[in-house]
Coordinates of all heavy atoms in Angstrom, one line a residue:
I196 N -4.4 -12.4 -1.8 CA -4.1 -11.9 -3.1 C -3.1 -12.8 -3.8 O -2.1 -13.2 -3.2 CB -3.7 -10.4 -3.1 CG1 -4.7 -9.6 -2.3 CG2 -3.4 -9.9 -4.5 CD1 -6.0 -9.5 -2.9
D197 N -3.2 -13.0 -5.1 CA -2.3 -13.8 -5.8 C -1.0 -13.1 -6.2 O -0.9 -12.5 -7.2 CB -3.0 -14.3 -7.1 CG -2.3 -15.4 -7.8 OD1 -1.4 -15.9 -7.3 OD2 -2.7 -15.8 -8.9
T198 N -0.1 -13.2 -5.2 CA 1.2 -12.6 -5.4 C 2.3 -13.7 -5.2 O 2.0 -14.8 -5.1 CB 1.5 -11.5 -4.4 OG1 1.5 -12.1 -3.1 CG2 0.4 -10.4 -4.4
H199 N 3.6 -13.2 -5.2 CA 4.7 -14.2 -5.0 C 4.5 -14.9 -3.7 O 4.9 -16.1 -3.6 CB 6.0 -13.4 -5.0 CG 6.0 -12.3 -4.1 ND1 5.5 -11.1 -4.3 CD2 6.6 -12.1 -2.8 CE1 5.6 -10.2 -3.3 NE2 6.3 -10.9 -2.4
A200 N 3.9 -14.3 -2.7 CA 3.7 -15.0 -1.4 C 2.7 -16.1 -1.5 O 2.9 -17.2 -0.9 CB 3.2 -14.0 -0.3
M201 N 1.7 -15.9 -2.3 CA 0.7 -17.0 -2.6 C 1.4 -18.1 -3.4 O 1.1 -19.3 -3.1 CB -0.5 -16.4 -3.3 CG -1.6 -17.4 -3.5 SD -2.4 -17.9 -1.9 CE -3.1 -16.3 -1.4
E202 N 2.3 -17.8 -4.3 CA 3.0 -18.8 -5.0 C 3.8 -19.7 -4.1 O 3.9 -20.9 -4.3 CB 3.9 -18.2 -6.1 CG 3.1 -17.5 -7.2 CD 4.0 -16.8 -8.2 OE1 5.3 -16.9 -8.0 OE2 3.6 -16.1 -9.1
R203 N 4.4 -19.1 -3.1 CA 5.3 -19.8 -2.2 C 4.4 -20.8 -1.3 O 4.9 -21.8 -0.9 CB 6.0 -18.9 -1.2 CG 7.2 -18.1 -1.9 CD 8.1 -17.6 -0.8 NE 7.5 -16.7 0.1 CZ 7.5 -15.4 0.0 NH1 8.0 -14.8 -1.1 NH2 6.9 -14.7 0.9
A204 N 3.1 -20.5 -1.1 CA 2.2 -21.3 -0.4 C 1.8 -22.6 -1.1 O 1.4 -23.5 -0.5 CB 1.0 -20.5 0.0
G205 N 2.0 -22.6 -2.4 CA 1.7 -23.8 -3.2 C 0.2 -23.9 -3.5 O -0.6 -23.1 -3.0
E206 N -0.1 -25.0 -4.2 CA -1.5 -25.2 -4.6 C -2.4 -25.5 -3.4 O -3.6 -25.0 -3.3 CB -1.6 -26.4 -5.6 CG -1.2 -26.0 -7.0 CD -1.9 -24.8 -7.5 OE1 -3.2 -24.7 -7.4 OE2 -1.3 -23.8 -8.0
E207 N -1.9 -26.2 -2.4 CA -2.7 -26.4 -1.2 C -3.0 -25.2 -0.4 O -4.1 -24.9 0.1 CB -2.1 -27.5 -0.3 CG -2.8 -27.8 1.0 CD -4.2 -28.3 0.7 OE1 -4.5 -28.8 -0.4 OE2 -5.1 -28.3 1.7
G208 N -1.9 -24.3 -0.3 CA -2.1 -23.1 0.4 C -3.1 -22.2 -0.4 O -4.0 -21.5 0.3
R209 N -3.1 -22.2 -1.7 CA -4.0 -21.4 -2.5 C -5.4 -21.9 -2.3 O -6.4 -21.1 -2.2 CB -3.6 -21.4 -4.0 CG -4.5 -20.6 -4.9 CD -4.2 -20.9 -6.3 NE -2.8 -20.6 -6.6 CZ -2.4 -19.4 -7.0 NH1 -3.3 -18.4 -7.2 NH2 -1.1 -19.1 -7.3
R210 N -5.6 -23.2 -2.3 CA -6.9 -23.8 -2.1 C -7.5 -23.4 -0.8 O -8.7 -23.1 -0.7 CB -6.8 -25.3 -2.2 CG -8.2 -26.0 -2.2 CD -8.0 -27.5 -2.0 NE -7.5 -27.8 -0.6 CZ -8.3 -27.7 0.5 NH1 -9.6 -27.4 0.4 NH2 -7.8 -28.0 1.6
Q211 N -6.7 -23.5 0.3 CA -7.2 -23.2 1.6 C -7.5 -21.7 1.7 O -8.5 -21.3 2.3 CB -6.1 -23.5 2.7 CG -5.9 -25.0 2.9 CD -4.9 -25.3 3.9 OE1 -4.4 -24.4 4.6 NE2 -4.5 -26.6 4.0
A212 N -6.7 -20.8 1.1 CA -7.0 -19.4 1.1 C -8.3 -19.1 0.4 O -9.2 -18.3 0.9 CB -5.9 -18.6 0.4
A213 N -8.5 -19.7 -0.8 CA -9.8 -19.5 -1.5 C -11.0 -20.0 -0.8 O -12.1 -19.4 -0.8 CB -9.7 -20.2 -2.9
A214 N -10.8 -21.1 -0.1 CA -11.9 -21.7 0.7 C -12.4 -20.8 1.8 O -13.6 -20.9 2.2 CB -11.5 -23.1 1.2
A215 N -11.5 -19.9 2.3 CA -11.9 -19.0 3.4 C -12.6 -17.8 2.9 O -13.1 -17.0 3.7 CB -10.7 -18.6 4.2
V216 N -12.8 -17.7 1.6 CA -13.4 -16.5 1.0 C -14.7 -16.8 0.4 O -14.9 -17.9 -0.2 CB -12.5 -15.9 -0.1 CG1 -13.1 -14.7 -0.8 CG2 -11.1 -15.5 0.4
S217 N -15.7 -16.0 0.7 CA -17.1 -16.3 0.2 C -17.1 -16.4 -1.3 O -18.0 -17.2 -1.9 CB -18.1 -15.2 0.7 OG -17.8 -14.0 0.1
M218 N -16.3 -15.7 -2.1 CA -16.3 -15.8 -3.5 C -15.5 -17.0 -4.0 O -15.4 -17.3 -5.2 CB -15.7 -14.5 -4.1 CG -16.5 -13.3 -3.9 SD -15.8 -11.7 -4.5 CE -15.9 -12.0 -6.3
Q219 N -14.9 -17.7 -3.1 CA -14.2 -19.0 -3.3 C -13.0 -18.8 -4.3 O -12.7 -19.7 -5.2 CB -15.2 -20.0 -3.9 CG -16.2 -20.5 -2.8 CD -15.6 -21.2 -1.7 OE1 -15.2 -22.4 -1.8 NE2 -15.5 -20.5 -0.5
R220 N -12.3 -17.7 -4.2 CA -11.1 -17.5 -5.0 C -10.2 -16.5 -4.3 O -10.7 -15.7 -3.5 CB -11.4 -17.0 -6.4 CG -12.0 -15.6 -6.5 CD -12.2 -15.2 -8.0 NE -12.8 -13.9 -8.1 CZ -12.1 -12.7 -8.1 NH1 -10.8 -12.7 -7.9 NH2 -12.7 -11.6 -8.3
V221 N -9.0 -16.4 -4.7 CA -8.1 -15.4 -4.2 C -8.2 -14.2 -5.1 O -8.6 -14.3 -6.3 CB -6.6 -15.8 -4.1 CG1 -6.5 -17.0 -3.1 CG2 -6.1 -16.3 -5.5
G222 N -7.9 -13.0 -4.6 CA -7.9 -11.8 -5.4 C -6.7 -11.6 -6.3 O -5.7 -12.4 -6.2
T223 N -6.7 -10.7 -7.2 CA -5.6 -10.4 -8.1 C -5.0 -9.1 -7.8 O -5.6 -8.2 -7.2 CB -6.1 -10.4 -9.5 OG1 -6.9 -9.2 -9.8 CG2 -6.8 -11.6 -9.9
V224 N -3.7 -8.9 -8.2 CA -3.0 -7.6 -8.0 C -3.8 -6.5 -8.7 O -3.9 -5.4 -8.2 CB -1.6 -7.8 -8.5 CG1 -0.9 -6.4 -8.6 CG2 -0.8 -8.7 -7.6
A225 N -4.3 -6.8 -9.9 CA -5.1 -5.8 -10.7 C -6.3 -5.3 -9.9 O -6.6 -4.1 -10.0 CB -5.5 -6.4 -12.0
E226 N -6.9 -6.2 -9.1 CA -8.1 -5.7 -8.4 C -7.7 -4.8 -7.2 O -8.4 -3.8 -6.9 CB -8.8 -7.0 -7.8 CG -9.6 -7.7 -8.9 CD -10.2 -9.0 -8.5 OE1 -9.5 -9.8 -7.8 OE2 -11.3 -9.3 -8.9
V227 N -6.6 -5.1 -6.6 CA -6.1 -4.1 -5.6 C -5.7 -2.8 -6.3 O -6.0 -1.7 -5.8 CB -4.9 -4.7 -4.9 CG1 -4.3 -3.7 -3.8 CG2 -5.2 -6.0 -4.2
A228 N -5.0 -2.9 -7.4 CA -4.5 -1.6 -8.1 C -5.7 -0.8 -8.5 O -5.7 0.5 -8.3 CB -3.7 -2.0 -9.3
E229 N -6.8 -1.4 -9.0 CA -8.0 -0.6 -9.4 C -8.5 0.2 -8.2 O -9.0 1.3 -8.3 CB -9.0 -1.5 -9.9 CG -8.7 -2.2 -11.2 CD -8.8 -1.3 -12.4 OE1 -9.0 -0.1 -12.3 OE2 -8.6 -1.8 -13.6
T230 N -8.5 -0.5 -7.0 CA -9.1 0.2 -5.8 C -8.2 1.3 -5.4 O -8.7 2.4 -5.0 CB -9.3 -0.9 -4.7 OG1 -10.1 -2.0 -5.1 CG2 -9.9 -0.2 -3.5
V231 N -6.9 1.1 -5.4 CA -5.9 2.2 -5.0 C -6.1 3.4 -5.9 O -6.1 4.5 -5.5 CB -4.5 1.6 -5.0 CG1 -3.5 2.8 -4.8 CG2 -4.3 0.6 -3.9
L232 N -6.2 3.1 -7.2 CA -6.4 4.2 -8.2 C -7.7 4.9 -8.0 O -7.8 6.2 -8.1 CB -6.2 3.8 -9.6 CG -4.8 3.9 -10.2 CD1 -3.8 3.1 -9.5 CD2 -4.8 3.7 -11.7
W233 N -8.7 4.2 -7.7 CA -10.0 4.8 -7.4 C -9.9 5.8 -6.2 O -10.4 6.9 -6.2 CB -11.1 3.8 -7.1 CG -12.4 4.4 -6.7 CD1 -13.3 5.1 -7.5 CD2 -13.0 4.4 -5.4 NE1 -14.4 5.5 -6.7 CE2 -14.2 5.1 -5.4 CE3 -12.6 3.9 -4.2 CZ2 -15.0 5.2 -4.3 CZ3 -13.4 4.0 -3.0 CH2 -14.6 4.7 -3.1
L234 N -9.3 5.3 -5.1 CA -9.1 6.1 -3.9 C -8.2 7.3 -4.2 O -8.2 8.3 -3.4 CB -8.5 5.3 -2.8 CG -9.4 4.2 -2.1 CD1 -8.6 3.3 -1.2 CD2 -10.5 4.9 -1.4

Side-chain angles (χ1 to χ4, degrees):
I196 304 296
D197 193 5
T198 65
H199 53 281
M201 188 65 67
E202 291 176 5
R203 289 200 301 268
E206 284 305 312
E207 178 59 21
R209 183 189 299 271
R210 186 195 66 77
Q211 292 180 8
V216 177
S217 64
M218 294 177 69
Q219 295 294 285
R220 68 174 179 86
V221 298
T223 67
V224 168
E226 287 171 318
V227 179
E229 294 284 7
T230 304
V231 172
L232 264 66
W233 175 73
L234 288 169

